[in-house]
């Protein structure tokens, strides 16, 4: 990881010169600056053997017109595909904080200490759709084939275009990776779905009851919570019954997904690169996001080198929480030696 970051710093000045000191023709609006973005892409890909910047165009009377792009961060791909990878990923979208049009999308890799690293960052001019999401998901699985296995877990919201793009990918994988949905997005969907027929106070009750089922730690507790919802809030029960429990209730998660049922990791990444999102040049945004990522890799590496134990602090907290949960349920925790081997 350190070598990746040092290699980045050795090429940083060259790419910065291209981005910030380029001629006016290159520094124009990105929709009319396809050559400038291609110029950046060539240098970006030369800076690392696994870096890729895919530029999508559509035909127009004046020639090819920029329609979107996908940046694949080679060093993070290697982390996500390594033998020690958690194979945990979240994806979500955002917007620029500048005059640049379009939509941003990102797929985040989450390591064993809950540190977040973008594997892929994409920009689309058009609205979110199954076609735009499908292109991103295909690119992601090509870069990270390990994410397309039952040992991997991915989380996203329930965007219609994204759901449509996921279905063919899951059909091709036998068994497919664990793909779950962010409960925070579902909470917002509940508030919106029942807006016309249900007062706010009752909608907030719906959200509270939904959370009690989503975060139930065992299947029996989940079944109990759902039975309570069926008795007292039938419209909510019918709504939730249409969403497979294995995509939102942690008690039903497939083994591939062993993180929480939210996409907060992507939100934290978008917040971390806020200054990059203020860029008025797409190439500048991409480079600043890449630079932040590599600096983050170095910071996490140095922090990890000071850990006193072999397991991560996040894992230690997780174990402690589980122990307290078991004690709260009055279950005994014991560590016993295996029985002695018998002859014959």
């Amino acid at each position: 990881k350190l070598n990746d970051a040092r290699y980045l710093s050795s090429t940083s000045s060259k790419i910065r010169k291209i981005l910030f000191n380029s001629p006016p023709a290159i520094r124009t609006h990105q929709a009319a600056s396809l050559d400038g973005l291609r110029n950046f892409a060539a240098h970006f890909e030369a800076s690392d053997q696994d870096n890729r910047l895919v530029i999508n165009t559509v035909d127009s009377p004046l020639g090819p017109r920029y329609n979107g792009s996908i940046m694949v961060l080679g060093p993070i791909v290697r982390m996500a595909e390594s033998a020690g990878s958690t194979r945990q990923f979240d994806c979500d979208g955002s917007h620029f904080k500048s005059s640049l049009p379009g939509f941003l999308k990102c797929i985040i890799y989450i390591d064993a200490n809950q540190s977040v690293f973008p594997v892929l960052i994409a920009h689309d001019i058009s609205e979110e759709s199954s076609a735009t999401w499908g292109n991103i998901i295909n690119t992601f699985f090509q870069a990270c084939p390990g994410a397309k296995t039952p040992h991997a877990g991915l989380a996203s919201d329930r965007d219609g275009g994204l759901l449509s793009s996921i279905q063919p990918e899951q059909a091709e994988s036998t068994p497919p990776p664990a793909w779950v949905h962010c409960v925070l997005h579902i909470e917002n969907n509940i508030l919106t779905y029942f807006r016309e027929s249900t007062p706010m106070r009752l909608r907030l009750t719906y959200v509270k009851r939904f959370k009690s089922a989503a975060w139930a730690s065992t299947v029996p507790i989940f079944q109990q919570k759902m039975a309570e919802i069926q008795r007292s809030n039938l419209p909510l029960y019918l709504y939730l019954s249409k969403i497979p429990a294995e995509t939102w209730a942690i008690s039903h998660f497939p083994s591939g997904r062993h993180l929480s049922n939210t996409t907060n990791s992507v939100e934290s990444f978008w917040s971390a690169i806020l200054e990059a999102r203020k860029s008025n040049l797409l190439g500048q945004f991409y480079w600043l996001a890449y630079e932040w990522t590599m600096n983050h890799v170095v910071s996490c590496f140095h922090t990890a080198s000071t850990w006193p134990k072999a397991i991560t602090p996040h894992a230690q907290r997780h174990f402690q929480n589980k122990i307290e949960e078991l004690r709260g349920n009055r279950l005994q925790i014991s560590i016993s030696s295996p029985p002695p081997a018998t002859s014959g």
Side-chain angles (χ1 to χ4, degrees), residues 25-40:
I26 293 179
R27 292 178 60 85
T28 56
H29 194 281
Q30 289 303 311
S33 184
L34 191 55
D35 289 341
L37 188 59
R38 285 172 174 163
N39 191 16
F40 162 71

Side-chain angles (χ1 to χ4, degrees), residues 35-168:
D35 289 341
L37 188 59
R38 285 172 174 163
N39 191 16
F40 162 71
H43 288 81
F44 170 74
E45 293 179 351
S47 70
D48 187 279
Q49 61 183 1
D50 295 317
N51 280 350
R52 291 178 59 203
L53 185 61
V54 182
I55 301 174
N56 303 314
T57 61
V58 293
D59 294 331
S60 74
L62 299 178
R65 178 172 60 84
Y66 173 81
N67 194 51
S69 52
I70 304 174
M71 180 174 73
V72 178
L73 291 79
I76 311 306
V77 168
R78 293 194 289 273
M79 291 173 60
E81 286 292 291
S82 67
S85 170
T86 63
R87 283 173 168 57
Q88 301 297 290
F89 305 91
D90 288 356
C91 56
D92 203 356
S94 188
H95 298 85
F96 286 108
K97 296 293 184 179
S98 68
S99 59
L100 282 176
F103 304 87
L104 294 172
K105 302 181 181 73
C106 183
I107 299 181
I108 290 287
Y109 166 66
I110 309 161
D111 75 1
N113 198 44
Q114 296 277 272
S115 298
V116 300
F117 308 91
V119 175
L120 174 154
I121 304 173
H123 171 245
D124 276 311
I125 292 294
S126 57
E127 292 280 352
E128 295 187 11
S129 66
S130 57
T132 57
W133 268 117
N135 190 26
I136 292 169
I137 298 300
N138 288 335
T139 302
F140 169 63
F141 282 137
Q142 289 173 8
C144 296
K148 205 174 182 180
T149 70
H151 306 293
L154 303 94
S156 69
D157 63 12
R158 287 179 49 77
D159 172 80
L162 178 56
L163 292 180
S164 299
S165 67
I166 292 171
Q167 292 171 356

Side-chain angles (χ1 to χ4, degrees), residues 10 27 49 73 75 99 116 122 131 137 143 162 167 183 205 268 293-294 320-321 326 330 334 338:
S10 69
R27 292 178 60 85
Q49 61 183 1
L73 291 79
S99 59
V116 300
I137 298 300
L162 178 56
Q167 292 171 356
V183 293
T205 299
S268 65
T293 301
M294 297 310 300
Q320 187 60 41
N321 290 339
L326 292 173
R330 297 185 178 180
S334 63

Side-chain angles (χ1 to χ4, degrees), residues 216-276:
S217 57
T218 66
V219 172
I221 296 176
F222 169 83
Q223 293 172 337
Q224 174 190 342
K225 297 299 182 182
M226 288 298 289
E228 293 173 358
I229 293 174
Q230 185 178 19
R231 286 193 302 269
S232 58
N233 305 109
L234 184 59
L236 175 63
Y237 177 82
L238 296 175
Y239 176 86
L240 295 178
S241 297
K242 298 176 183 179
I243 311 174
E246 62 269 20
T247 66
W248 58 272
I250 61 174
S251 60
H252 287 64
F253 277 4
S255 59
R257 181 67 180 187
H258 44 81
L259 292 180
S260 63
N261 45 0
T262 71
T263 54
N264 285 342
S265 64
V266 190
E267 299 295 338
S268 65
F269 171 70
W270 291 131
S271 297
I273 63 163
L274 179 60
E275 290 303 314

Side-chain angles (χ1 to χ4, degrees), residues 1-2 6 117 295-306:
K1 297 175 184 177
L2 281 177
R6 288 167 181 161
F117 308 91
N295 288 334
H296 186 53
V297 168
V298 174
S299 174
C300 290
F301 178 87
H302 285 306
T303 301
S305 66
T306 65

Side-chain angles (χ1 to χ4, degrees), residues 197-209:
S197 59
T198 310
M200 175 58 81
R201 179 180 296 180
L202 183 54
R203 280 184 282 155
L204 293 175
T205 299
Y206 281 6
V207 168
K208 183 178 180 179
R209 290 190 174 276

